[in-house]
Amino acid sequence: MVSIPQPSASGPTAYRATPPVLDAVHGRACPPTRVLLQVSRPWRAMLAGALLDRGLQPVLPGEHGQAPADVVVREFGPPRSANSQRPPDPSADAGTGPPMVAWLSPRPGDDTTLLRHQALDAGAVSLVRASAHPDELVRVVGHLGRLRAGPAATEDIASTLHAPLSRVLQQASASAQVGALVLLGLERFDEVVLTLGAGLRAPLQQAIEHRLQVALVAIEARHAGRLRAQLTRCDDGLAVIIVPLARSADAEALACELLQRLDDPVDLGDHRIVVGGYAGLAVFPHDGHQTEVLIRHATLARHEARRQGRNGCVVYGSALGRGAMRRLQLEGALRRALAQSGFELHFQPQADLHTGALTGAEALLRWRDRDLGRIEPVEFIALAEDTGLITRLGTWVLQNTCHQIRRWRDQGLDVPRIAVNVSRLEIAQPDFVSGVLRTLVEHGLPGGTLTLELTEPALMHDVERLGQRLQALRAAGVRIAVDDFGSGYSSLARLSRLPLDELKIDRVFLATLQGNGAKVAAAVIGLGHTLGLRVVAEGVEREDQLDFLRRHGCDEFQGHLLSHPLDAATMGRLLGHARIQHRLVMDTGSTPSARMTPFPEIPDIRSLPSLPPVLA
């Protein structure tokens, strides 16, 4: 502890002990952020009082003791001579370890582009004008302390941006200025930290912020000081407030320029890291003139940009607003449906191409919400993946599929294997294999009743670990299929290293049997057989497709030519019919090779008169 010189009227009357700060994540007491004040006396008194009020610990130069400072606050001004063009080294009195650095100017007129560049070159992370309210400066300092400590006390967007954005909006409204709120997301930040260690979180965050500060200073200089930009850390990304803009279209160009800076490699020790990002922005007053509204609109735009992938940049607008509101409604309804089992399973039969025997079925999820009506799988599956709900949805499908299989078996039906789709996020879960096997045991089912279908993107990550998991499932009798094969980028070498049973040809290659589509379909059939796999064609809707697949030796098929997806009751009737007949209807009288005829009454199989009443 140090003693602070007698402060001015704006500072405290005495130095008081600082209580420990509660770690927001772990709930434990942690020491307060130590702030080294390398500033002149008038500023020390004012800053010391404000720091103490926020639970931060002010430290004077030369009296920091053994513990290093977490944040250094320095002031900078115009050079006094030709030999003093750069500010002093901020770490000179900071103890061991690189500190975070905030710079301020005691005179507003000194805040020139040259001085800001000097501060950034010397390691500044945040640049604060002298005209800023003391609370604003202390907020920056406290924020830097949290960055250094890691992710324990990250504030959400609204609480972080409310004060600075409110002031900017008031000023912009008074002078009829156009501005923008840009929310930047860091695409691979968490992945890098998890891979390389939590110790890199703070220096990587600091390096990114420093790079963006340099970019913003260059942008300000390019606009001859007429444009102002303020960078703030919030939520799981960064926010930039830009004002004034000559036109609203300029906001997107500036956001894209910042995204380019996020694509530049960051060198930290022996690591060369590329983070990348995405941006959502709202323009005021066009997209809102109230703080809460503007933050909400920029957040929705950022969420849409994240869906678009790396370097996605989305400007909020009325069309996006309607789409975003639809997604919010869907997400709420999806969570409600998961809690209340508001889904239904349908089953699309699969048959042997040469004998017509019923070989299995694919379980397909259907959803009709009480308020939103029927929602197509292509819409809610994508939403579930974006929101992380896909793992819960996959668990629901697996459990209810096994429950239905158990019911059919208890009715005395001969149930073929049922296929269930599995997402990349599901199979990446540490307990995925044990969860599948536990579900089978709980329902008293052999592994051979289940086929798990994975898409090609699911095969692209950590092939060794994936192979071990798939092998454990196959050892229990579970079959493994690659869904929509040919639409992704999996290599033959990767396929040959994985324990697989089936390849499913993507329906797009059968849409037209002329040109490359037919060639790819024929190649997939040959490849599958070379690897010792059965090949299943999906989306078969026409007789010419069926003839093509049979000529090229495809093993099984599914699609509307055979049957539409059936609800559980109708599928049960089909299983009862198949148990009696053992195969689909075959027409063997016209040609030497047996020609398959789809079920006479499919898709309206419920009208078959020969079905036992118990199966109705």
Side-chain angles (χ1 to χ4, degrees), residues 157 182-186 233-239 278-281 296-308 312 314-316 320:
I157 294 177
V182 182
L183 296 182
L184 297 168
L186 305 179
R233 175 79 166 96
C234 61
D235 190 38
D236 56 350
L238 296 157
Y278 46 90
L281 56 148
R296 181 169 69 249
H297 289 173
T299 302
L300 290 174
R302 188 181 68 167
H303 185 70
E304 179 63 23
R306 182 179 181 181
R307 290 182 61 247
Q308 294 183 6
V314 174
V315 182
Y316 181 86
L320 172 62

Side-chain angles (χ1 to χ4, degrees), residues 341-553:
S341 295
F343 301 100
E344 183 179 358
L345 286 176
H346 284 207
F347 301 87
Q348 185 165 46
Q350 299 168 334
D352 188 286
L353 255 164
H354 306 285
T355 68
L358 184 67
T359 56
E362 180 180 357
L364 301 171
L365 197 59
R366 296 293 182 262
W367 179 25
R368 180 178 292 277
D369 183 73
R370 65 172 186 261
D371 299 322
L372 302 175
R374 179 179 175 179
I375 303 164
E376 295 298 325
V378 67
E379 185 176 16
F380 72 79
I381 294 297
L383 176 65
E385 291 177 341
D386 288 346
T387 57
L389 295 174
I390 191 67
T391 54
R392 290 175 57 188
L393 198 60
T395 299
W396 189 96
V397 172
L398 178 64
Q399 291 177 343
N400 283 272
T401 298
C402 290
H403 178 72
Q404 186 59 61
I405 296 173
R406 181 72 267 165
R407 290 186 62 186
W408 286 329
R409 290 170 68 97
D410 290 344
Q411 293 173 5
L413 300 177
D414 184 14
V415 184
R417 62 181 183 269
I418 304 296
V420 173
N421 291 279
V422 177
S423 75
R424 177 180 61 85
L425 295 178
E426 288 179 81
I427 202 165
Q429 299 298 310
D431 59 348
F432 175 76
V433 173
S434 61
V436 172
L437 300 181
R438 182 172 58 251
T439 301
L440 289 169
V441 171
E442 288 173 350
H443 291 86
L445 299 176
T449 60
L450 192 65
T451 297
L452 299 182
E453 295 188 0
L454 289 77
T455 58
E456 286 189 78
L459 309 178
M460 299 298 290
H461 302 276
D462 198 349
V463 66
E464 295 299 333
R465 180 177 298 181
L466 176 62
Q468 294 172 1
R469 293 182 174 181
L470 297 183
Q471 188 58 55
L473 290 167
R474 290 187 79 218
V478 178
R479 292 175 63 85
I480 308 297
V482 182
D483 196 16
D484 298 332
F485 186 77
S487 61
Y489 306 94
S490 56
S491 67
L492 298 183
R494 183 178 296 271
L495 284 178
S496 65
R497 293 165 59 191
L498 293 172
L500 304 174
D501 299 287
E502 298 177 8
L503 291 185
K504 298 190 73 174
I505 305 175
D506 192 313
R507 67 181 65 229
V508 70
F509 300 119
L510 297 176
T512 174
L513 294 179
Q514 298 178 353
N516 291 333
K519 295 178 182 179
V520 172
V524 171
I525 295 171
L527 171 64
H529 290 161
T530 300
L531 296 176
L533 310 176
R534 287 185 68 81
V535 182
V536 182
E538 54 186 351
V540 180
E541 300 179 350
R542 307 190 309 268
E543 285 285 348
D544 63 323
Q545 294 173 327
L546 199 67
D547 290 339
F548 172 87
L549 294 169
R550 186 182 292 111
R551 288 197 311 270
H552 288 86

